[in-house]
Amino acid sequence: MTEAASTEAAPASLCAREPHVPADRLVAEMVPPPRFDSVRFDTYIPDPNQPSQIDAVKVLSSFAEGLGGAHATGAGKRSALGRWFARTPKSTAPSGPRGVYLDGGYGVGKTHLLASLWHATPAEPGLKAFGTFVELTNLVGALGFQQTVRTLSGHRLLCIDEFELDDPGDTVLVSSLLSRLVEAGVALAATSNTLPGKLGEGRFAAADFLREIQGLSAHFRPLRIDGEDYRHRGLPEAPAPYSDEQVTKAAYATPGASLDDFPHLLDHLAKVHPSRYGALTDDLTAVCLTDVQAIPDQSTALRLVVLADRLYDREVPVLASGLPFDRLFSEEMLNGGYRKKYFRAISRLTALARDAKGLVEQ
């Protein structure tokens, strides 16, 4: 540690935190993350060369308008929304998809649009829920299946960000949960980099769970959004990693920052349930990491993906030494079944590394 750094207050350590998150906090926090507090349809800037982005705003605006009025029950649950999504006239096909599924690559603004839909839906915040797929499965783990159904059945809308199926258990669980919620009149909206019928592909024997996957697909009308990653559109290259000394000095000079050795942090993440990773970052203004190394195995890599998502949601800059973030995952990982998660993590950590540039003295 430098002499200058020693005069500053010691930074926090993620490795020293073991947060407990009560179930009621999990429910209360099912709202768009801070990064998306102020987004709206009119703040989304479509790429003029991508008409699907312009169309998406129009489609989702109509979707939100169709969710007005009393909570749908029984035959009435297919009023405006059901008619809007029905693929044939209501008289011949009364049960159309109950949700919209935003499919597209990284950084085309899917989460921005999903959060805008949540904000535009004419209902009290307590009648609409927003969370990632992982947060939804964690909610079931905390409350139990039946209680989760009861908790969410009174909602007008459930938004699920980053919809991915990582194992057969999740496939059956989510298929059952969404079927129950649709029966209760809850409208659905989701984002993913994988079409509904392809969920689980490359991760497990998806063919053995084809009925569940097809059941999930039937709940959604896919809405394709094309474009390039806006996080890198017209932006400078991500900064190269800094030295251990630079990162340590910046951590001590930044109030509210944390400082951890990257390998030790990876070990600590294995001891904390992913549902607590958001709480792990509570009140941090920056995350500083020394000795960033390649991820040793897939389980560790998936935990880091969740942490990257929570840091990105909360707009916490990440300053690091060691390997650059685009070298975190092996070629085998980037070509495997979880490649979309890993590329998303690289994209988000790169954006947060740019945000951290100002922490280092020029």
Side-chain angles (χ1 to χ4, degrees), residues 1-11 245 247-254 259:
M1 185 189 310
T2 66
E3 181 178 347
S6 66
T7 64
E8 307 287 347
E245 182 180 15
V247 171
T248 300
K249 184 176 181 180
Y252 274 81
T254 305
L259 176 63

Side-chain angles (χ1 to χ4, degrees), residues 34-36 284-285 310-317 352 355:
R35 176 179 285 270
F36 299 98
L284 291 182
T285 60
R310 301 292 80 77
L311 291 172
Y312 183 77
D313 287 345
R314 290 160 174 76
E315 301 181 283
V316 180
L352 296 176
D355 293 344

